[in-house]
Each structure stands twice: as C-alpha cells, then as structure tokens.
Amino acid sequence: MIKAVIFDLDGTLLDRDKSVEKFILEQYGRLDKELGHIDQSDYIKRFIQLDSHGYVWKDKVYRQLVEEFEITDMSWEQLLDDYLFYFAAHCVPFPHLVQMLEELKARNILLGMITNGYTDFQAGNIEALGIARYFDVILISEKEGLRKPDKRIFDRALERLGVQAEQAVFVGDHPANDVEAAAGAGMKSIWKRNPQWEDAKAHFTIDGLDEIPGIVQELEAKSELGIKPGN
C-alpha cells in the first residue's frame, strides 16, 4: 500500500533551468549600469555555464563573472545578494504541478519533499511556487544537517511522515542523489527524465508530473493483488 510520495525540488517540481534563464535575463536588464559593458548573450551564456544546473553555488559563479567580465561597479557579494533577493520571483514550475499534488492529496497520499540547498533560499522558492501547503513534511539539507544522497535524510523524512520505506515513492531527476539513494533507502523510485543524463536505474521513468498519480494507482493495485512492483 502506497501511503506517501516524496519529491525532490530542483529539476523535479521547479523547472530550474527556465527559472535561471528568466532570472539572469532580468538581472542583466535591471543592472544595466553595472553590467551594460558586457554583451547580454555573453553574460547569460556564461552564467548558465558556470551555474552547471545549480550544482555550483552562486558565490563561485559571481566571483568568476566579476573577474572574467571585469565588473567594477558591483562586487560579487552584491551580485549574490541580488540573486538571493530576486530569484524566487522568477521561479517556473513544471507543467501540471498543482494538479498533480491535488490529485495525490485527494487520494489521502501524504506528501514530502527533500531538497539540498540553503534553508531560506529553498523555502522562498517553495513559497514562490505556491505549494508549501500541500506538503506534510519538507526537509532542506542546510536545516537538517544532512544532504542527499545520505540515506539518513530519507529515513528522517519517512519517520516524520510515519510510513515505512516500502510504503513510499520518491520522485527526483538526479540518477544518484535521488533515484539510487531513494532505492537504497528502500523506497520505490521514479525518475523524472532530465536531458543531463541518459538513464537512471529507477522503478519508473516519467516525462511529466501528470504521470505520477497513475503510477501510484498502479502500485496500489499491484499491492492489493499481492504483486511485487516490477512484475
């Protein structure tokens, strides 16, 4: 019996690539006085390269940008503060996000989230998406003192939800930090396909969030019939 679905945030619920593109374009235009000597396309392209899909923290990104583009009217610390303040306003959800969450809640499925990142920043992004109210537990790595793929952060989420690992499904886009780690913690895994990686060793693979309720229904049906997932 499936009682809970736990999600990653970036690349799973939040379309981070589109959000970053939207933010950095707006930042360049808003800080025209400080950044106007740089070609717009060069600034945006280099930020995205250095950001590496969110796996490089922005202090390093902005340090490098300041050095490469010889930015003198604004420090990397000021650029970082600008990012922290304004990014949430540019958060873009993946399609069907709220509809999917409402479908799961209507079926009395508990919802959790585990995300790596800084507490205030990630909490702000979650709030910007308007989805915090759907979740029974949200674990952010800085606050928890643990990061995915550490099994203990998955165990902690399960404990707070009050469910066993075999009663939970984890949805994420990273083959190791999400899919393999969740499976290692005893959960069913759903890989939200990400073009950064060719494949992931998941129980299920999806292209859209709207596929998740159907998978949960399939797992519940197999459980009632005593069929193990994958058979």
Side-chain angles (χ1 to χ4, degrees), residues 163-184:
V163 301
Q164 300 298 312
E166 60 270 19
Q167 298 172 321
V169 177
F170 190 89
V171 186
D173 71 305
H174 195 290
N177 293 349
D178 294 325
V179 173
E180 291 181 19

PDB file of all heavy atoms in Angstrom, residues 163-184:
ATOM      1  N   VAL A 163       5.638   6.599   7.938  1.00  0.00           N
ATOM      2  CA  VAL A 163       5.434   5.494   6.996  1.00  0.00           C
ATOM      3  C   VAL A 163       6.704   4.674   6.872  1.00  0.00           C
ATOM      4  O   VAL A 163       7.808   5.141   7.171  1.00  0.00           O
ATOM      5  CB  VAL A 163       5.011   6.003   5.596  1.00  0.00           C
ATOM      6  CG1 VAL A 163       3.722   6.798   5.689  1.00  0.00           C
ATOM      7  CG2 VAL A 163       6.114   6.844   4.964  1.00  0.00           C
ATOM      8  N   GLN A 164       6.541   3.441   6.425  1.00  0.00           N
ATOM      9  CA  GLN A 164       7.677   2.571   6.154  1.00  0.00           C
ATOM     10  C   GLN A 164       8.196   2.839   4.741  1.00  0.00           C
ATOM     11  O   GLN A 164       7.456   3.322   3.876  1.00  0.00           O
ATOM     12  CB  GLN A 164       7.257   1.106   6.283  1.00  0.00           C
ATOM     13  CG  GLN A 164       6.728   0.736   7.658  1.00  0.00           C
ATOM     14  CD  GLN A 164       7.773   0.928   8.739  1.00  0.00           C
ATOM     15  OE1 GLN A 164       8.917   0.487   8.610  1.00  0.00           O
ATOM     16  NE2 GLN A 164       7.390   1.591   9.826  1.00  0.00           N
ATOM     17  N   ALA A 165       9.446   2.489   4.511  1.00  0.00           N
ATOM     18  CA  ALA A 165      10.062   2.755   3.207  1.00  0.00           C
ATOM     19  C   ALA A 165       9.279   2.108   2.071  1.00  0.00           C
ATOM     20  O   ALA A 165       9.104   2.709   1.003  1.00  0.00           O
ATOM     21  CB  ALA A 165      11.510   2.271   3.204  1.00  0.00           C
ATOM     22  N   GLU A 166       8.796   0.899   2.286  1.00  0.00           N
ATOM     23  CA  GLU A 166       8.086   0.183   1.224  1.00  0.00           C
ATOM     24  C   GLU A 166       6.703   0.799   0.941  1.00  0.00           C
ATOM     25  O   GLU A 166       6.057   0.437  -0.049  1.00  0.00           O
ATOM     26  CB  GLU A 166       7.934  -1.292   1.567  1.00  0.00           C
ATOM     27  CG  GLU A 166       7.179  -1.593   2.837  1.00  0.00           C
ATOM     28  CD  GLU A 166       8.079  -1.673   4.058  1.00  0.00           C
ATOM     29  OE1 GLU A 166       9.214  -1.159   3.998  1.00  0.00           O
ATOM     30  OE2 GLU A 166       7.642  -2.264   5.071  1.00  0.00           O
ATOM     31  N   GLN A 167       6.287   1.727   1.784  1.00  0.00           N
ATOM     32  CA  GLN A 167       5.005   2.404   1.586  1.00  0.00           C
ATOM     33  C   GLN A 167       5.165   3.759   0.897  1.00  0.00           C
ATOM     34  O   GLN A 167       4.196   4.490   0.740  1.00  0.00           O
ATOM     35  CB  GLN A 167       4.321   2.619   2.942  1.00  0.00           C
ATOM     36  CG  GLN A 167       3.979   1.329   3.676  1.00  0.00           C
ATOM     37  CD  GLN A 167       3.486   1.593   5.088  1.00  0.00           C
ATOM     38  OE1 GLN A 167       3.988   2.478   5.791  1.00  0.00           O
ATOM     39  NE2 GLN A 167       2.483   0.835   5.501  1.00  0.00           N
ATOM     40  N   ALA A 168       6.395   4.062   0.477  1.00  0.00           N
ATOM     41  CA  ALA A 168       6.675   5.393  -0.068  1.00  0.00           C
ATOM     42  C   ALA A 168       7.317   5.331  -1.446  1.00  0.00           C
ATOM     43  O   ALA A 168       7.998   4.365  -1.797  1.00  0.00           O
ATOM     44  CB  ALA A 168       7.577   6.170   0.886  1.00  0.00           C
ATOM     45  N   VAL A 169       7.076   6.379  -2.203  1.00  0.00           N
ATOM     46  CA  VAL A 169       7.667   6.553  -3.532  1.00  0.00           C
ATOM     47  C   VAL A 169       8.452   7.858  -3.515  1.00  0.00           C
ATOM     48  O   VAL A 169       7.996   8.861  -2.955  1.00  0.00           O
ATOM     49  CB  VAL A 169       6.569   6.644  -4.620  1.00  0.00           C
ATOM     50  CG1 VAL A 169       7.190   6.902  -5.984  1.00  0.00           C
ATOM     51  CG2 VAL A 169       5.730   5.380  -4.635  1.00  0.00           C
ATOM     52  N   PHE A 170       9.635   7.840  -4.126  1.00  0.00           N
ATOM     53  CA  PHE A 170      10.423   9.065  -4.240  1.00  0.00           C
ATOM     54  C   PHE A 170      10.539   9.460  -5.705  1.00  0.00           C
ATOM     55  O   PHE A 170      10.825   8.626  -6.559  1.00  0.00           O
ATOM     56  CB  PHE A 170      11.826   8.899  -3.646  1.00  0.00           C
ATOM     57  CG  PHE A 170      12.559  10.214  -3.527  1.00  0.00           C
ATOM     58  CD1 PHE A 170      12.428  10.981  -2.385  1.00  0.00           C
ATOM     59  CD2 PHE A 170      13.344  10.691  -4.568  1.00  0.00           C
ATOM     60  CE1 PHE A 170      13.072  12.209  -2.273  1.00  0.00           C
ATOM     61  CE2 PHE A 170      13.989  11.921  -4.472  1.00  0.00           C
ATOM     62  CZ  PHE A 170      13.861  12.676  -3.317  1.00  0.00           C
ATOM     63  N   VAL A 171      10.331  10.760  -5.972  1.00  0.00           N
ATOM     64  CA  VAL A 171      10.394  11.293  -7.333  1.00  0.00           C
ATOM     65  C   VAL A 171      11.534  12.305  -7.415  1.00  0.00           C
ATOM     66  O   VAL A 171      11.563  13.273  -6.642  1.00  0.00           O
ATOM     67  CB  VAL A 171       9.073  11.994  -7.731  1.00  0.00           C
ATOM     68  CG1 VAL A 171       9.133  12.413  -9.203  1.00  0.00           C
ATOM     69  CG2 VAL A 171       7.873  11.096  -7.465  1.00  0.00           C
ATOM     70  N   GLY A 172      12.463  12.091  -8.341  1.00  0.00           N
ATOM     71  CA  GLY A 172      13.571  13.031  -8.491  1.00  0.00           C
ATOM     72  C   GLY A 172      14.187  12.945  -9.865  1.00  0.00           C
ATOM     73  O   GLY A 172      13.888  12.035 -10.643  1.00  0.00           O
ATOM     74  N   ASP A 173      15.065  13.905 -10.171  1.00  0.00           N
ATOM     75  CA  ASP A 173      15.669  13.961 -11.505  1.00  0.00           C
ATOM     76  C   ASP A 173      17.129  13.526 -11.526  1.00  0.00           C
ATOM     77  O   ASP A 173      17.687  13.316 -12.599  1.00  0.00           O
ATOM     78  CB  ASP A 173      15.563  15.375 -12.080  1.00  0.00           C
ATOM     79  CG  ASP A 173      16.486  16.358 -11.373  1.00  0.00           C
ATOM     80  OD1 ASP A 173      16.392  16.479 -10.126  1.00  0.00           O
ATOM     81  OD2 ASP A 173      17.302  17.006 -12.060  1.00  0.00           O
ATOM     82  N   HIS A 174      17.764  13.418 -10.364  1.00  0.00           N
ATOM     83  CA  HIS A 174      19.182  13.055 -10.340  1.00  0.00           C
ATOM     84  C   HIS A 174      19.335  11.541 -10.172  1.00  0.00           C
ATOM     85  O   HIS A 174      18.835  10.970  -9.196  1.00  0.00           O
ATOM     86  CB  HIS A 174      19.898  13.780  -9.204  1.00  0.00           C
ATOM     87  CG  HIS A 174      21.386  13.762  -9.308  1.00  0.00           C
ATOM     88  ND1 HIS A 174      22.128  12.621  -9.127  1.00  0.00           N
ATOM     89  CD2 HIS A 174      22.281  14.751  -9.604  1.00  0.00           C
ATOM     90  CE1 HIS A 174      23.412  12.910  -9.287  1.00  0.00           C
ATOM     91  NE2 HIS A 174      23.532  14.192  -9.586  1.00  0.00           N
ATOM     92  N   PRO A 175      20.033  10.867 -11.103  1.00  0.00           N
ATOM     93  CA  PRO A 175      20.140   9.409 -11.043  1.00  0.00           C
ATOM     94  C   PRO A 175      20.753   8.872  -9.757  1.00  0.00           C
ATOM     95  O   PRO A 175      20.333   7.822  -9.271  1.00  0.00           O
ATOM     96  CB  PRO A 175      21.029   9.075 -12.249  1.00  0.00           C
ATOM     97  CG  PRO A 175      20.817  10.201 -13.194  1.00  0.00           C
ATOM     98  CD  PRO A 175      20.651  11.413 -12.330  1.00  0.00           C
ATOM     99  N   ALA A 176      21.730   9.593  -9.194  1.00  0.00           N
ATOM    100  CA  ALA A 176      22.396   9.114  -7.981  1.00  0.00           C
ATOM    101  C   ALA A 176      21.773   9.703  -6.719  1.00  0.00           C
ATOM    102  O   ALA A 176      21.342   8.961  -5.830  1.00  0.00           O
ATOM    103  CB  ALA A 176      23.887   9.444  -8.036  1.00  0.00           C
ATOM    104  N   ASN A 177      21.728  11.028  -6.631  1.00  0.00           N
ATOM    105  CA  ASN A 177      21.260  11.694  -5.413  1.00  0.00           C
ATOM    106  C   ASN A 177      19.798  11.420  -5.100  1.00  0.00           C
ATOM    107  O   ASN A 177      19.401  11.438  -3.927  1.00  0.00           O
ATOM    108  CB  ASN A 177      21.461  13.212  -5.527  1.00  0.00           C
ATOM    109  CG  ASN A 177      22.922  13.608  -5.559  1.00  0.00           C
ATOM    110  OD1 ASN A 177      23.805  12.791  -5.292  1.00  0.00           O
ATOM    111  ND2 ASN A 177      23.182  14.854  -5.896  1.00  0.00           N
ATOM    112  N   ASP A 178      18.996  11.199  -6.132  1.00  0.00           N
ATOM    113  CA  ASP A 178      17.564  10.964  -5.940  1.00  0.00           C
ATOM    114  C   ASP A 178      17.194   9.495  -6.120  1.00  0.00           C
ATOM    115  O   ASP A 178      16.751   8.831  -5.190  1.00  0.00           O
ATOM    116  CB  ASP A 178      16.751  11.825  -6.916  1.00  0.00           C
ATOM    117  CG  ASP A 178      16.898  13.311  -6.641  1.00  0.00           C
ATOM    118  OD1 ASP A 178      17.005  13.690  -5.473  1.00  0.00           O
ATOM    119  OD2 ASP A 178      16.902  14.089  -7.604  1.00  0.00           O
ATOM    120  N   VAL A 179      17.392   8.999  -7.334  1.00  0.00           N
ATOM    121  CA  VAL A 179      16.887   7.670  -7.687  1.00  0.00           C
ATOM    122  C   VAL A 179      17.603   6.560  -6.931  1.00  0.00           C
ATOM    123  O   VAL A 179      16.975   5.761  -6.225  1.00  0.00           O
ATOM    124  CB  VAL A 179      17.001   7.454  -9.208  1.00  0.00           C
ATOM    125  CG1 VAL A 179      16.635   6.017  -9.570  1.00  0.00           C
ATOM    126  CG2 VAL A 179      16.102   8.435  -9.945  1.00  0.00           C
ATOM    127  N   GLU A 180      18.910   6.475  -7.066  1.00  0.00           N
ATOM    128  CA  GLU A 180      19.649   5.400  -6.407  1.00  0.00           C
ATOM    129  C   GLU A 180      19.592   5.538  -4.892  1.00  0.00           C
ATOM    130  O   GLU A 180      19.470   4.538  -4.167  1.00  0.00           O
ATOM    131  CB  GLU A 180      21.096   5.385  -6.896  1.00  0.00           C
ATOM    132  CG  GLU A 180      21.250   4.957  -8.348  1.00  0.00           C
ATOM    133  CD  GLU A 180      22.705   4.927  -8.794  1.00  0.00           C
ATOM    134  OE1 GLU A 180      23.598   4.876  -7.913  1.00  0.00           O
ATOM    135  OE2 GLU A 180      22.953   4.954 -10.016  1.00  0.00           O
ATOM    136  N   ALA A 181      19.684   6.766  -4.408  1.00  0.00           N
ATOM    137  CA  ALA A 181      19.661   6.974  -2.957  1.00  0.00           C
ATOM    138  C   ALA A 181      18.313   6.574  -2.358  1.00  0.00           C
ATOM    139  O   ALA A 181      18.265   5.937  -1.295  1.00  0.00           O
ATOM    140  CB  ALA A 181      19.968   8.431  -2.640  1.00  0.00           C
ATOM    141  N   ALA A 182      17.227   6.936  -3.033  1.00  0.00           N
ATOM    142  CA  ALA A 182      15.903   6.571  -2.527  1.00  0.00           C
ATOM    143  C   ALA A 182      15.692   5.056  -2.555  1.00  0.00           C
ATOM    144  O   ALA A 182      15.147   4.483  -1.615  1.00  0.00           O
ATOM    145  CB  ALA A 182      14.826   7.269  -3.352  1.00  0.00           C
ATOM    146  N   ALA A 183      16.129   4.445  -3.647  1.00  0.00           N
ATOM    147  CA  ALA A 183      16.019   2.982  -3.736  1.00  0.00           C
ATOM    148  C   ALA A 183      16.862   2.321  -2.648  1.00  0.00           C
ATOM    149  O   ALA A 183      16.449   1.323  -2.050  1.00  0.00           O
ATOM    150  CB  ALA A 183      16.457   2.519  -5.119  1.00  0.00           C
ATOM    151  N   GLY A 184      18.036   2.912  -2.367  1.00  0.00           N
ATOM    152  CA  GLY A 184      18.890   2.381  -1.311  1.00  0.00           C
ATOM    153  C   GLY A 184      18.262   2.498   0.069  1.00  0.00           C
ATOM    154  O   GLY A 184      18.597   1.740   0.976  1.00  0.00           O
TER     155      GLY A 184
END
